[in-house]
mmCIF file of all heavy atoms in Angstrom:
data_model
loop_
_atom_site.group_PDB
_atom_site.id
_atom_site.type_symbol
_atom_site.label_atom_id
_atom_site.label_comp_id
_atom_site.label_asym_id
_atom_site.label_seq_id
_atom_site.Cartn_x
_atom_site.Cartn_y
_atom_site.Cartn_z
ATOM 1 N N GLU X 48 -5.921 -9.110 -4.386
ATOM 2 C CA GLU X 48 -4.814 -9.887 -4.962
ATOM 3 C C GLU X 48 -3.696 -10.072 -3.950
ATOM 4 O O GLU X 48 -3.403 -9.167 -3.166
ATOM 5 C CB GLU X 48 -4.215 -9.176 -6.187
ATOM 6 C CG GLU X 48 -5.055 -9.187 -7.428
ATOM 7 C CD GLU X 48 -4.279 -8.608 -8.611
ATOM 8 O OE1 GLU X 48 -3.382 -9.304 -9.131
ATOM 9 O OE2 GLU X 48 -4.557 -7.453 -8.994
ATOM 10 N N THR X 49 -3.075 -11.236 -3.997
ATOM 11 C CA THR X 49 -1.833 -11.473 -3.264
ATOM 12 C C THR X 49 -0.694 -11.415 -4.273
ATOM 13 O O THR X 49 -0.657 -12.207 -5.213
ATOM 14 C CB THR X 49 -1.857 -12.837 -2.566
ATOM 15 O OG1 THR X 49 -2.840 -12.813 -1.521
ATOM 16 C CG2 THR X 49 -0.497 -13.150 -1.946
ATOM 17 N N LEU X 50 0.220 -10.483 -4.074
ATOM 18 C CA LEU X 50 1.332 -10.304 -5.009
ATOM 19 C C LEU X 50 2.586 -11.050 -4.579
ATOM 20 O O LEU X 50 3.467 -11.312 -5.402
ATOM 21 C CB LEU X 50 1.660 -8.811 -5.154
ATOM 22 C CG LEU X 50 0.545 -7.905 -5.677
ATOM 23 C CD1 LEU X 50 1.067 -6.477 -5.823
ATOM 24 C CD2 LEU X 50 -0.003 -8.413 -7.003
ATOM 25 N N HIS X 51 2.666 -11.376 -3.295
ATOM 26 C CA HIS X 51 3.903 -12.003 -2.801
ATOM 27 C C HIS X 51 3.615 -12.676 -1.471
ATOM 28 O O HIS X 51 2.804 -12.204 -0.679
ATOM 29 C CB HIS X 51 4.990 -10.940 -2.619
ATOM 30 C CG HIS X 51 6.300 -11.478 -2.132
ATOM 31 N ND1 HIS X 51 7.215 -12.098 -2.943
ATOM 32 C CD2 HIS X 51 6.848 -11.486 -0.880
ATOM 33 C CE1 HIS X 51 8.280 -12.456 -2.237
ATOM 34 N NE2 HIS X 51 8.077 -12.091 -0.980
ATOM 35 N N GLY X 52 4.295 -13.791 -1.224
ATOM 36 C CA GLY X 52 4.209 -14.435 0.075
ATOM 37 C C GLY X 52 3.504 -15.776 0.049
ATOM 38 O O GLY X 52 2.884 -16.155 -0.948
ATOM 39 N N PRO X 53 3.575 -16.522 1.155
ATOM 40 C CA PRO X 53 2.921 -17.824 1.263
ATOM 41 C C PRO X 53 1.408 -17.728 1.067
ATOM 42 O O PRO X 53 0.821 -16.648 1.148
ATOM 43 C CB PRO X 53 3.280 -18.279 2.684
ATOM 44 C CG PRO X 53 4.521 -17.530 3.022
ATOM 45 C CD PRO X 53 4.374 -16.199 2.355
ATOM 46 N N SER X 54 0.785 -18.895 0.875
ATOM 47 C CA SER X 54 -0.621 -18.928 0.477
ATOM 48 C C SER X 54 -1.610 -18.708 1.610
ATOM 49 O O SER X 54 -2.762 -18.347 1.363
ATOM 50 C CB SER X 54 -0.929 -20.273 -0.195
ATOM 51 O OG SER X 54 -0.623 -21.356 0.686
ATOM 52 N N THR X 55 -1.206 -18.927 2.863
ATOM 53 C CA THR X 55 -2.134 -18.788 3.990
ATOM 54 C C THR X 55 -1.534 -17.893 5.071
ATOM 55 O O THR X 55 -0.313 -17.741 5.156
ATOM 56 C CB THR X 55 -2.454 -20.164 4.614
ATOM 57 O OG1 THR X 55 -1.277 -20.674 5.262
ATOM 58 C CG2 THR X 55 -2.942 -21.150 3.551
ATOM 59 N N PRO X 56 -2.391 -17.310 5.934
ATOM 60 C CA PRO X 56 -1.878 -16.490 7.038
ATOM 61 C C PRO X 56 -0.947 -17.268 7.957
ATOM 62 O O PRO X 56 0.063 -16.728 8.424
ATOM 63 C CB PRO X 56 -3.156 -16.068 7.784
ATOM 64 C CG PRO X 56 -4.233 -16.158 6.773
ATOM 65 C CD PRO X 56 -3.867 -17.302 5.879
ATOM 66 N N GLU X 57 -1.281 -18.528 8.210
ATOM 67 C CA GLU X 57 -0.456 -19.346 9.084
ATOM 68 C C GLU X 57 0.942 -19.549 8.497
ATOM 69 O O GLU X 57 1.937 -19.557 9.223
ATOM 70 C CB GLU X 57 -1.139 -20.695 9.324
ATOM 71 C CG GLU X 57 -2.398 -20.625 10.175
ATOM 72 C CD GLU X 57 -3.597 -20.006 9.447
ATOM 73 O OE1 GLU X 57 -3.599 -20.007 8.183
ATOM 74 O OE2 GLU X 57 -4.518 -19.522 10.127
ATOM 75 N N LYS X 58 1.001 -19.717 7.179
ATOM 76 C CA LYS X 58 2.296 -19.896 6.534
ATOM 77 C C LYS X 58 3.098 -18.590 6.515
ATOM 78 O O LYS X 58 4.328 -18.613 6.565
ATOM 79 C CB LYS X 58 2.107 -20.426 5.116
ATOM 80 C CG LYS X 58 1.639 -21.872 5.070
ATOM 81 C CD LYS X 58 1.496 -22.375 3.632
ATOM 82 C CE LYS X 58 1.051 -23.839 3.610
ATOM 83 N NZ LYS X 58 0.891 -24.349 2.225
ATOM 84 N N VAL X 59 2.400 -17.447 6.446
ATOM 85 C CA VAL X 59 3.087 -16.152 6.528
ATOM 86 C C VAL X 59 3.746 -16.009 7.898
ATOM 87 O O VAL X 59 4.922 -15.643 8.004
ATOM 88 C CB VAL X 59 2.104 -14.985 6.280
ATOM 89 C CG1 VAL X 59 2.784 -13.649 6.582
ATOM 90 C CG2 VAL X 59 1.596 -15.004 4.842
ATOM 91 N N ALA X 60 2.978 -16.299 8.955
ATOM 92 C CA ALA X 60 3.531 -16.239 10.315
ATOM 93 C C ALA X 60 4.648 -17.260 10.496
ATOM 94 O O ALA X 60 5.655 -16.995 11.160
ATOM 95 C CB ALA X 60 2.425 -16.459 11.342
ATOM 96 N N GLY X 61 4.476 -18.434 9.901
ATOM 97 C CA GLY X 61 5.504 -19.466 9.988
ATOM 98 C C GLY X 61 6.787 -19.055 9.294
ATOM 99 O O GLY X 61 7.895 -19.342 9.784
#
Side-chain angles (χ1 to χ4, degrees):
E48 287 187 74
T49 293
L50 300 183
H51 181 80
S54 58
T55 69
E57 290 73 22
K58 289 181 179 179
V59 171

